[in-house]
Amino acid sequence: MSAYDHDVDKEVYDITIVGGGPAGLFATFYSGIRNMKTKLIEALPHLGGQLSTLYPDKYVYDVPGYTKILARDLVKKLEEQAMQVNPTIRLNEKLIALRHLDEKLIELETTRGLHYSKTVLLTTGMGVISMKKLGIPSVERFEGRGVYYLITNKWMFRDKKVIIVGGGDSAVDWALELKDIASEVVLVHRRAGFRAHEAKVVELFSSRIRKLIPYVVRDAHGSEKLESVTLTNVETGEEVTLEADALIPQIGYEIDNSLYKSWGLDVDEHGIKVNGRMETNIPGIFAVGDAASPIGSPKLNLIAIGFAQAIIAVNCAKHYIDPNASIFPGHIVKLT
Ligand SMILES: Cc1cc2nc3c(=O)[nH]c(=O)nc-3n(C[C@H](O)[C@H](O)[C@H](O)COP(=O)(O)OP(=O)(O)OC[C@H]3O[C@@H](n4cnc5c(N)ncnc54)[C@H](O)[C@@H]3O)c2cc1C
């Protein structure tokens, strides 16, 4: 008797999409309009991927058709769009193994059961995200009491003194987002170069956000909660202590590719290797969005890129299942 007898879905789906971020949600809709029996599996209790987990209150400006849209509202729209095609959605289920039972039948093992599908589309993004920590004991002591690696509600910083650490997109985006909410925002970065989007860096430097460069965090102080932070100039050794209600380190993420390798997928430092059809090295298994590393094209972790890749993958999956089906779907005239 299998450990999953209580939760085996014996129905075979045309496509099972793993990961309910923007790429997975749009792929769900698209599979539906290609008349594919579609299931979406998401490890978390909610859909939306990074948009819901990491930046629900941040505006997104580079999704076609919206001059700006809050990440949480974009997720709502994507969910509405996906639900039109009546997919099967399974939340709180993490994919842990993939096996080919025969040429066109794949078994997916999750933390809650077994699923069967002719094709699988991995839209697992960065996988289970873990934020890089500063690793300073006096700072980690205040995690959740003034030190925040993840922001789920930007309004908690209203009228607060906030220090943000980092030079990438997350740090710069949050500095700009909080500048009109917090009473003061200080951005601390250890070197002159920024990895963030050029336009955002220009905006940062023309804003009233205080920049402390090249500084690093050395120490944090307080009793019950964070009260101040000591920073060190990495060139001169000079120290400065600033009053702070919140310290937000945004110094990157740790990504674990080991699960993909254990499924037999070829990976490189950017993710699961895919060709121009978004096919992985395993027949019938496709990958798109942040999870994918397209061979021969630049790796751009952007929502719009995942949307376009999802269209390619779904159309190729349709053709993989039924070689008589055209890859090009034609244009949608009306949704039934
Ligand atoms: C702070 C920040 C700001 C950003 N701003 C922008 C922006 O303004 N514009 C833009 O275009 N991009 C932006 N991005 C990038 C954008 O969020 C990503 O490119 C996008 O979320 C990738 O979508 P995805 O669907 O591929 O993956 P994700 O959004 O990462 O979703 C993957 C989903 O898969 C699930 N999952 C993972 N492993 C499993 C498993 N084994 N089983 C089941 N489910 C699993 C995860 O829980 C998650 O829900 C930003 C990113 C960050 C961090």
Side-chain angles (χ1 to χ4, degrees):
M1 190 166 149
S2 150
Y4 300 106
D5 274 355
H6 64 286
D7 206 358
V8 177
D9 182 354
K10 291 208 172 108
E11 213 161 340
V12 178
Y13 281 72
D14 290 321
I15 188 163
T16 300
I17 296 159
V18 184
L25 281 167
F26 188 61
T28 300
F29 164 71
Y30 212 89
S31 308
I33 60 167
R34 287 237 58 186
N35 286 328
M36 296 168 85
K37 191 171 169 56
T38 305
K39 182 185 280 178
L40 173 65
I41 296 177
E42 166 58 51
L44 297 174
H46 58 258
L47 297 168
Q50 293 169 51
L51 287 75
S52 301
T53 309
L54 297 183
Y55 57 98
D57 284 322
K58 189 184 90 68
Y59 279 107
V60 174
Y61 298 89
D62 50 358
V63 166
Y66 293 103
T67 47
K68 67 174 190 175
I69 182 165
L70 273 180
R72 69 166 80 245
D73 292 338
L74 180 58
V75 171
K76 221 180 282 168
K77 295 271 177 207
L78 287 164
E79 283 187 34
E80 272 172 31
Q81 190 179 33
M83 293 316 157
Q84 293 178 103
V85 298
N86 299 316
T88 299
I89 309 263
R90 301 287 294 250
L91 298 177
N92 286 310
E93 278 201 56
K94 183 178 171 191
L95 180 68
I96 48 179
L98 279 171
R99 289 176 281 271
H100 253 287
L101 298 184
D102 64 39
E103 203 199 331
K104 293 254 166 105
L105 184 61
I106 300 163
E107 182 179 69
L108 297 96
E109 180 178 345
T110 71
T111 41
R112 298 182 64 178
L114 297 174
H115 304 266
Y116 298 91
S117 197
K118 294 177 191 166
T119 61
V120 171
L121 174 55
L122 296 169
T123 52
T124 40
M126 298 199 281
V128 180
I129 301 161
S130 61
M131 306 290 287
K132 275 193 192 152
K133 303 276 167 107
L134 285 173
I136 302 166
S138 63
V139 171
E140 311 312 346
R141 183 163 78 88
F142 292 109
E143 194 170 341
R145 293 181 297 131
V147 174
Y148 305 97
Y149 286 95
L150 287 179
I151 303 173
T152 51
N153 176 10
K154 66 182 176 185
W155 299 107
M156 67 192 270
F157 303 109
R158 192 197 296 268
D159 299 329
K160 304 281 189 213
K161 291 183 171 155
V162 175
I163 298 177
I164 296 173
V165 184
D169 281 314
S170 302
V172 174
D173 278 355
W174 277 119
L176 293 170
E177 201 66 39
L178 295 179
K179 71 179 184 342
D180 299 323
I181 294 174
S183 60
E184 184 188 21
V185 173
V186 180
L187 183 83
V188 176
H189 186 34
R190 68 194 151 110
R191 56 188 175 83
F194 279 76
R195 279 175 293 107
H197 196 288
E198 297 97 327
K200 293 292 178 74
V201 176
V202 170
E203 196 181 337
L204 171 77
F205 278 88
S206 57
S207 75
R208 62 186 169 82
I209 295 167
R210 184 175 171 197
K211 277 81 60 184
L212 278 178
I213 303 164
Y215 279 81
V216 292
V217 175
R218 192 179 70 72
D219 212 352
H221 322 274
S223 49
E224 289 305 298
K225 57 183 183 58
L226 181 75
E227 287 166 19
S228 61
V229 175
T230 300
L231 307 162
T232 306
N233 183 312
V234 293
E235 284 170 7
T236 64
E238 175 219 350
E239 287 197 345
V240 52
T241 297
L242 303 180
E243 279 183 27
D245 302 300
L247 175 68
I248 306 175
Q250 296 290 296
I251 55 173
Y253 313 96
E254 313 256 335
I255 305 168
D256 184 7
N257 272 342
S258 59
L259 207 52
Y260 300 144
K261 277 190 205 149
S262 74
W263 299 341
L265 292 164
D266 280 350
V267 297
D268 63 16
E269 72 275 21
H270 300 302
I272 304 164
K273 282 165 114 178
V274 291
N275 60 20
R277 300 161 75 103
M278 302 295 132
E279 293 167 325
T280 68
N281 59 305
I282 304 179
I285 301 184
F286 298 75
V288 306
D290 281 14
S293 176
I295 301 161
S297 73
K299 166 73 173 159
L300 303 173
N301 285 351
L302 291 170
I303 297 163
I305 297 281
F307 291 163
Q309 291 176 340
I311 294 176
I312 297 172
V314 168
N315 284 318
C316 291
K318 175 81 182 178
H319 181 71
Y320 170 85
I321 295 170
D322 174 8
N324 292 321
S326 156
I327 292 181
F328 180 62
H331 303 118
I332 307 169
V333 179
K334 186 170 176 271
L335 276 180
T336 47

